[in-house]
Amino acid sequence: MKNIIEVRDVKTIFDERIVHNGLNLTVKEGEIYGLLGPSGCGKTTLLREMVMLQKINSGSIKVLDYELNHIKNEEAQQLRQKWGVLFQSGALFSSLKLKENIALPLVEYTNLSKAMINEIVEYKISIVGLKSEDANLYPSQISGGMKKKAALARSLAMDPKLLFLDEPTSGLDPISAREFDALILKLRDILGLTIVMVSHDLQSIYDTLDSVAIIDNKKIVYEGSLGNIKSVKNEFIQTFFGKYNE
Ligand SMILES: Nc1ncnc2c1ncn2[C@@H]1O[C@H](COP(=O)(O)OP(=O)(O)O)[C@@H](O)[C@H]1O
Ligand SMILES: [Mg+2]
């Protein structure tokens, strides 16, 4: 499988604090790839670096064959349309109906007619498992699980091939969280997505991830499948995964 993301020797420093010191990882086409590690280890920062919201201090990140260090403005604009992002804080606009929220990227980035946009929005609403009548509701009128689905529909508006999710199941009740996991797996298969997901939800990790990278002490301490992760000699891994009985 093709490499979709290559992170090489990435160093990130905030003021004088080193967050990443020589990170390396590779995300392959079609996989659901997890970024894991203790709180504050730099998972969200790495996601932000992958989507060009944050600069790295040294090293390189290649996404969909674009080297982010050397990307031209025009290419950057095109590249931004090839991925969808669902950040923890990526809330819906409360003054807009769900359908208007989901239409936003299409209104902003395309010249599609209103009728065409409506049709696309209807399709996105149905693939995330919302009902068409939900489209006219405002964010304050729906549950947390529905909000996540609507935000996901918005991140899929432009038909991305790559999706970034930051702790998508945090704050959801267990049933909604498992429903969201199933949705992610289904969408990966039917839309052919590659997904990079930050998570600390063990059930979600075991149910959805094909590969993981564990960040600890500024480095990747493990990259690979979950199969034999419990045999890795690392305190975070032992504490975190020790709790889970397969
Ligand atoms: N814009 C910023 N300026 C200064 N420090 C930051 C900034 N963003 C993140 N940090 C710091 O970098 C570290 C990693 O943060 P973050 O990536 O949010 O961690 P995680 O998502 O793994 O919990 C934290 O110590 C955080 O305080
Ligand atoms: Mg975070």
Side-chain angles (χ1 to χ4, degrees):
M1 276 295 177
K2 214 175 140 220
N3 290 352
I4 297 293
I5 301 177
E6 294 174 2
V7 171
R8 297 291 177 260
D9 207 21
V10 162
K11 193 165 187 176
T12 307
I13 309 172
F14 287 120
D15 304 318
E16 257 136 57
R17 238 175 61 77
I18 299 173
V19 176
H20 305 133
N21 195 6
L23 289 202
N24 290 285
L25 61 82
T26 305
V27 179
K28 295 200 184 305
E29 189 169 20
E31 68 179 347
I32 306 185
Y33 188 101
L35 294 177
L36 281 48
S39 181
C41 72
K43 304 177 294 294
T44 297
T45 301
L46 183 58
L47 270 198
R48 288 173 52 82
E49 291 168 344
M50 288 171 170
V51 300
M52 298 189 290
L53 289 172
Q54 174 84 50
K55 289 253 185 216
I56 57 177
N57 292 78
S58 66
S60 73
I61 299 181
K62 204 189 234 184
V63 181
L64 297 166
D65 292 325
Y66 289 92
E67 169 57 64
L68 303 187
N69 281 339
H70 306 299
I71 196 165
K72 297 189 186 77
N73 281 343
E74 240 168 81
E75 292 173 331
Q77 243 170 336
Q78 288 167 8
L79 187 54
R80 281 196 178 93
Q81 296 176 30
K82 294 185 184 177
W83 60 55
V85 183
L86 185 53
F87 280 115
Q88 277 177 289
S89 56
L92 299 164
F93 288 100
S94 57
S95 60
L96 300 179
K97 293 176 179 178
L98 292 194
K99 64 179 181 189
E100 295 163 339
N101 266 287
I102 297 164
L104 222 51
L106 297 160
V107 172
E108 194 169 330
Y109 294 118
T110 74
N111 300 315
L112 295 171
S113 68
K114 216 170 171 192
M116 186 69 107
I117 288 178
N118 285 340
E119 209 162 300
I120 296 170
V121 168
E122 239 168 80
Y123 172 64
K124 304 296 166 178
I125 283 177
S126 88
I127 56 169
V128 299
L130 291 169
K131 298 191 198 75
S132 52
E133 57 265 33
D134 298 334
N136 289 310
L137 298 174
Y138 289 91
S140 62
Q141 298 173 308
I142 62 174
S143 69
M146 288 170 78
K147 277 182 202 161
K148 283 278 152 124
K149 287 180 188 172
L152 185 64
R154 185 175 63 188
S155 72
L156 295 172
M158 298 285 289
D159 293 328
K161 279 294 165 199
L162 177 56
L163 189 60
F164 295 93
L165 308 171
D166 196 352
E167 305 203 14
T169 59
S170 80
L172 295 185
D173 64 82
I175 291 170
S176 305
R178 301 296 71 85
E179 214 180 279
F180 195 88
D181 288 343
L183 177 60
I184 292 297
L185 285 167
K186 182 186 93 175
L187 292 177
R188 184 267 303 271
D189 292 343
I190 62 175
L191 303 176
L193 295 170
T194 302
I195 300 176
V196 180
M197 174 163 97
V198 174
S199 183
H200 62 220
D201 176 340
L202 264 176
Q203 189 66 49
S204 174
I205 287 167
Y206 275 98
D207 286 351
T208 62
L209 300 183
D210 299 303
S211 305
V212 296
I214 317 277
I215 308 176
D216 193 18
N217 289 319
K218 312 177 179 63
K219 300 225 185 258
I220 302 291
V221 293
Y222 178 80
E223 186 188 28
S225 75
L226 286 164
N228 47 8
I229 195 152
K230 285 186 185 178
S231 64
V232 179
K233 291 193 173 55
N234 168 273
E235 201 183 324
F236 168 78
I237 292 175
Q238 288 302 322
T239 311
F240 187 73
F241 289 97
K243 286 185 254 173
Y244 190 80
N245 294 309
E246 272 173 287

